[in-house]
Structure formats: C-alpha cells, structure tokens
Amino acid sequence: RKGRSKNQTTRPSGSSATAKQKLRNAKNLARAGILNLLSLLRARYSSDEEKRQLAILFSFISKPELQPVQEIRGILGELDNGTIAEIELVDISSEDDEESAAPERDYFRLSSRRGGGFSIADRKVIRVEPPAPLGSEYTPAKVRAVMKPTTRILRINVIDGGRGYTVAPDVIVKQMGVSRQCEACAIINRNGGVSEIIVLNPGFGYGGGKAQQGEPTLPTVEIRERKFRQKKSKVQLKPAKAAAELEYKVTGVNIIDGGSGYLFDQPPNVSLDLPQVDPDWFAKPVIFSTNSAEDEEDQLLLASVTQMKSGTDGVVVDTKAVRRGKDDLALGDETLRSIRDDPISLLPSNTRPQFSKFINDSSLDVNESGYYSITALPPVPSDMSLPSSSKCRSIDPIFGGIGTAPVTKNALTLSSSQYFRLALSGAICTVLVRTALNPLELVKTKIQLGNDEEIIDLATKKAASKQTQSPSSASKPAIGTAQVIQSLVEVRGPLSLFQSADITLITSIVFGLFGFGATELFRRSFSAVFFDETASSGMNEFLLLAAAGLATLLTCAAGAPFEILRVRSMSTTENQGVKKVFSDFMEQNRREQVMSTTPTPSAAAITLANIKPLWSSFNPIVSRELPFAVTKFLVFDLAAGSIEELINGSNLLDDPLQVGVGSLGLSLSAFAGALAGIAGAFVSHPADLILTLTSASSQEEGQAKDWKMIVRELLDNDGGILNLFSGFSARAVFFFLVIGLQFFLYDYIKSELGVGTDDLTLVLDVFYAVRQGL
C-alpha cells in the first residue's frame, strides 16, 4: 500500500481556492467602490469643515481592510497642514546597564547603535516620512544630521600595502594628548604586503587641535616592521602606508525645510539609519530576547518630532501634549440626543478620528496599517443585539437603520431595441412551452369537442374499466387526460400527440411577441404619463391591469386568424398541415359566398369577404384571453411580490431575494407563474370552451352556430353551468405547466438578452450632482 510521504504537502482543493479568490475579488471590489466614493466626495466638498466631516464619515467603516486609512490621514494632514519645528534625539539604551553608565571613553562597543559608527562623509543618515496629503502644495521636510567626532578611531584604511613583510608589522596611531591608545593589527598577504588593518580598540582622545575649516586634526599611522625580520630575505622592504578615520556621532538634527501637510497627532516618523558597515570593534549586545537577530539591527538612538508649527496661523504645537489629550473629548448626552433625533445631524466640528493599530482597547491583535475610529462616541455595549427588519440590515444605536440594498426603481422609458428584446423573450418562451406541451392542448380540445369518435370511444372504455362506482349507476364515465393520451398513442402513434404543432408554433410567436412586449410597453408608458414616481402599490396594480388589458386586445387582433386555424387543425381527426387547413377554410368561405351572392365570383379569386371570417372568433378570443391575461399578470405580480416580501422579511437569506434574479429568483418566477396559470385557466375556461365549439361548428355541414346558441345548449344539457367547465382539469394542468415554465423562461431569456430585472432597474445615484459638478 502506497502512503503519502511525510514531506509531501497537500494543495488546497480547487473549490477552496476558487472560494478564496472570490472572497478576495469581492473585497477588492468593495474597497475600490469606497475609494471611488471618497474621490467623488472630495472633488465636491473642499472646505475645511467639509473635509473634517468626510474624515469622520469614512472613519465609520469598521473593517480595517476596507477603510481608506491613507486617504483619511491625507484629509487630516490637509486640515492640520503642520510644519516640523523641532526634532529630538532620545537614547533608549538601558540606564541600569553598567556599560552604558561607564565613561564615554570606555563605552564604545555599541557606539554604532547609539548614533555613532559614521565617518565624516556620511551626512544623509536621517530620513523623514513624507506628508500624507497629495499635491504640489504639500512638500516633505528636509533635514540634515548634526555630526560630532567621538575622538575614537573608526577605521584605518590601507593606502599602500608595501612589500617585504614576513610577519605582521606593528600598527601605531600617533597623536598628542590621547587618553587611550588605539589598538590595531595588520594582516599581510602572500606577497608580504599589508592588505588590511583591523582596529581592535578605537582608543579615545584623538582629533585634538583644529585643522583647516574647523575640522579635527587626524592622527598619523605608523606601520613599523618587527625587530626579528629574517636577515636572509632577498626582498627589499617597502613600508606600508595607512590613514585613520575618526568616528562621528549624530548629536542633533538641523531642519532645513519643515515641509507641510503633517498631522499634529500623528507626526511623521523620523528614522536614523545604521552605518552601512559596522566598525571592527563593534560587539553584538548580550540580550535575552527571542528575536535577537532583529534586536541587533535596532537603533538605540531614536529621533522624534516634538514640535510642529501650524501652516495656517503659525502656532507652535507640542506633539506630545496633543497625543496625550486626544482621548479627553467625549460627546455629551445632549449631542447624542440630537444625533438620535435628527438623522441628518452632523458630529461636532471638534470631533476628530483617532488612529490606532489595535482593533479595540481589549484586543492584543495588531493591525500594521492601523485604522481610524471615533473614540468620542460611546462604545456599543457588548451584550447589545442589533435588531433587523425587512427594510434594514441592522440598526445602529446612534444613527439608526442600515439599508439592505440601494434605493431602486423600475425604468419607465426604454429604447426600441430593449422593447424588441422583451418581445423576443416572450416569443421564445411561449414557443418553447406551448410547442412542448402541445399534447395537453390537443387532448383538451378533443375532450371539449368529442368529434373524434374513434379516440373518444376508446378513451371512454378505458375510463369505464377503471370506474369504481356501482354497476347499477347509469352515469357516463368521465374521460380523463391520461385515457385520451393512451388512446392516441395506441391508435395513431406517439407523433399524433403533436398534431397541429406547426400552426401552434406560428400562433405562439404572435401571442408571445405581442402579449409580453405590449404589456411591458403599455405598463411603463402609463406609469410615465399618468402617475408620478410615488404611486402607491394599489395604483401600480391598476396600471398592470390596464396595460395587460390593452395588450390583450392588441394581441387578439393580431392572433385571431392564427388561433382559429389552430383550433380547426386540432379539431380534425387526422393531422393536417397549416396550408391544408388554411386552404380548406378559404374554400368553405368561397362556397358560402357563392351561395349567398349574385353574380357568382370566380372560384379562384380571394376577396375581402373570404378573409374577413378569419377574425370571426375575435370576440370569443377576447372573452377568453382578456380575463386570462389580466388574471395571469395580476396573480403573478401579487404572488411573487408577497412571497418575496415574506422571505426577505424573515431574513432567511443573506442577500435579498429578487424576482427573476438568480436561481432562487427564477424558481420564484416559476412557482408564481404556475399559480397564475391555474387562476387564469379557471377564469377563462368557459370562454375557451365556447371558442372551441364555435370554431369546430364551422366545419360541420349546415348552418354554423354562434356563441349564444352554444351557451344555451350547454346550459340546457345535464349538468347545467358545470358544462361550461368541461375539460378544465386538462386545461388547468396545461396552464400550470405552461405559465410556470413561461415566466421562468421569460425571466431567464430576458437576462440573457440584457433586459432582465437587474438590467432595467435604476439605482438611486446620490452622487450624480457631485460628478456633474452641480
């Protein structure tokens, strides 16, 4: 059995890596949005008071990784506009250390960590942090280190190594008035020349006297041959030459230019560089630390800004006093009460965001970039829960509710391209659904007409065999959808279920294009013309009913010819193509015209009188489609809106549910559409039955029946008014599936075509005036 090696590391799974990447992308997007918002606001609001309120506003972002820390620091820097007036050096080496308490001449091993270890050429050893604000009016400070010789030897440089040395020569550093002699040793190479001189003890008291330009006098270095040089050496001795460098120490800072744009309570960091090369006599400190490698690189001489001058009024500010008193300000009860009572009330002008690297006072976790907070506000009690509601994500104890989503509204005016894509979405979804469910529509039609005797008789026998009532009962067995489908498949094969699929396709295109497209057009047009943006929900429902009604009339006018041909095609016992059905319809109308008019028109001519009957079913279609469409859109809107409000109000989901958006939104569309389909089928079924019987009667020999005669016959038969709902079960199942799938596909296709709910939703842009400079 093969096992995993101990050194073999495991990689994170693909799903885990993808989730982390999505989280990073979301965080980057959120931070980019915050920065864009701050940029827009800063472009509009430029006074000192407005800048102060902007700094307060963005300090309320409690997540350090999202808070624009540098930008807030920049705003505060513009307000203070401080100039460096004084920089102080502080030696932080332990006062209890015996070596640190020793005289200056004896305490030299850590000199390069206490501001020393430099040569006279090292001048740029102090750096000052640039100001936070951006722009040419804010300049960084310029400083120069004040250097003083320590009277110790920093290093001895070999000028000429000479030759002929067989042993290391003595190195003597000469100068009058030296307190302690420098100790050094030479290193020779294989050629007998001096390659390097190592200073073991830098001595003390060198540099006495003044040379030109006030510089100390350098000592001389003598490289003396040892007395026991071998007499037989054939190499002539050439003395080596060397020069000593004095050690310099930083003792102060000269401010050439104090700069501008610095913060009083966050003075710039002043760093003192370490020497590039430590002296030979440097010794690492003996410390008991878990991180000695880092401690030996620390400078024990620190520099800090102690005084700054205001760039506005020239007042000198003690930075230590500012930092000590930054927590003294706390808002009073009256101010807090004013903020609670007035949602647009601002914090006082003397409120200032405070910087910290700790998340809170009780936390030990350090955030290197730090973050700002308003310490003048009272802290939120740890045991306080923030309640939520359907309109608020949470409720802040000071500022009130926090919205779950931006303020939005539906777009009222769309382009012709958008309306066409909405209509195309309706056509596509209607074609897909109505064509796929054509078998149910066919079964419903055959049950209503009952003229396909072969199929109806077989279905009746199947229903009778399953009837559970007593044999003495004389009632006729009720034919169900399943019996008719089984009979069609047994007698004519599975393809017979798609009888009239061609004309159904054409009819679906017309009804889908006009039904959905016209409803969207009229609904948005009525809202834009007759009502303002604050119309109540009841008024919105009225708009929906009016738009759906007018769109239905337009749809019926365009689809009446196709609908009457579809019903005629389904009423035949055998499948006939759309051309055959149309030619038979026209031929029948010609014969009626021949019998009723004089002179006799040509048999091949097509007159207006022949075409007009195509719209003979307009009134029955309107009586069926108008209540169906109005009920369908109304029930869908009410059901979807109620369920959406119920789920969002219960806070079951992290993100608000929106109809037609996302998988859950599409599922809600399907469910609400299914309910709307059943309701519409029930309201419009009597009209659908009358339309079917009216269309079928025109195929029979003799005088065609109008809708009044058909209604009278249905009511006179056994069952009475219930006869108007013959075939309702099949139609209810049909529209439960049709409308549910139709709304699901409609919302999905809209999104794919770029006219979905999100695409046609306007988001309140409160910063429009900022960008436009209004």
Side-chain angles (χ1 to χ4, degrees), residues 589-602 607 609-610:
N589 283 286
R590 286 196 197 97
R591 289 199 302 267
E592 293 178 357
Q593 289 292 347
V594 168
M595 295 174 60
S596 60
T597 60
T598 303
T600 302
S602 172
T607 64
N610 301 140

Side-chain angles (χ1 to χ4, degrees), residues 271-289:
S271 57
L272 181 60
D273 293 338
L274 294 173
Q276 294 184 355
V277 179
D278 282 314
D280 299 330
W281 36 267
F282 167 73
K284 296 180 181 179
V286 180
I287 55 177
F288 300 96
S289 171

Side-chain angles (χ1 to χ4, degrees), residues 540-558:
N540 289 331
E541 304 304 336
F542 174 78
L543 288 177
L544 176 62
L545 295 180
L550 185 58
T552 300
L553 294 177
L554 180 62
T555 303
C556 291

Side-chain angles (χ1 to χ4, degrees), residues 59-81:
S59 297
F60 285 122
I61 300 176
S62 56
K63 290 186 177 181
E65 65 271 17
L66 296 181
Q67 189 184 87
V69 177
Q70 294 298 329
E71 287 71 16
I72 297 175
R73 182 181 289 118
I75 295 175
L76 296 176
E78 293 178 15
L79 294 172
D80 292 347
N81 195 21

Side-chain angles (χ1 to χ4, degrees), residues 507-528:
T507 306
S508 299
I509 292 175
V510 175
F511 274 82
L513 277 173
F514 286 92
F516 286 91
T519 300
E520 292 283 356
L521 173 63
F522 295 141
R523 183 179 186 178
R524 297 176 190 274
S525 299
F526 290 166
S527 298

Side-chain angles (χ1 to χ4, degrees), residues 457-536:
D457 290 343
L458 182 57
T460 303
K461 293 179 181 179
K462 291 180 178 292
S465 64
K466 295 183 178 181
Q467 194 171 31
T468 57
Q469 63 185 7
S470 62
S472 59
S473 176
S475 62
K476 185 177 180 180
I479 302 175
T481 303
Q483 289 83 21
V484 177
I485 291 178
Q486 291 174 4
S487 302
L488 281 170
V489 173
E490 290 179 8
V491 176
R492 297 171 188 159
L495 292 180
S496 64
L497 296 175
F498 291 91
Q499 177 181 333
S500 308
D502 50 356
I503 187 61
T504 298
L505 173 65
I506 299 174
T507 306
S508 299
I509 292 175
V510 175
F511 274 82
L513 277 173
F514 286 92
F516 286 91
T519 300
E520 292 283 356
L521 173 63
F522 295 141
R523 183 179 186 178
R524 297 176 190 274
S525 299
F526 290 166
S527 298
V529 174
F530 298 108
F531 302 101
D532 58 20
E533 300 177 0
T534 60
S536 62

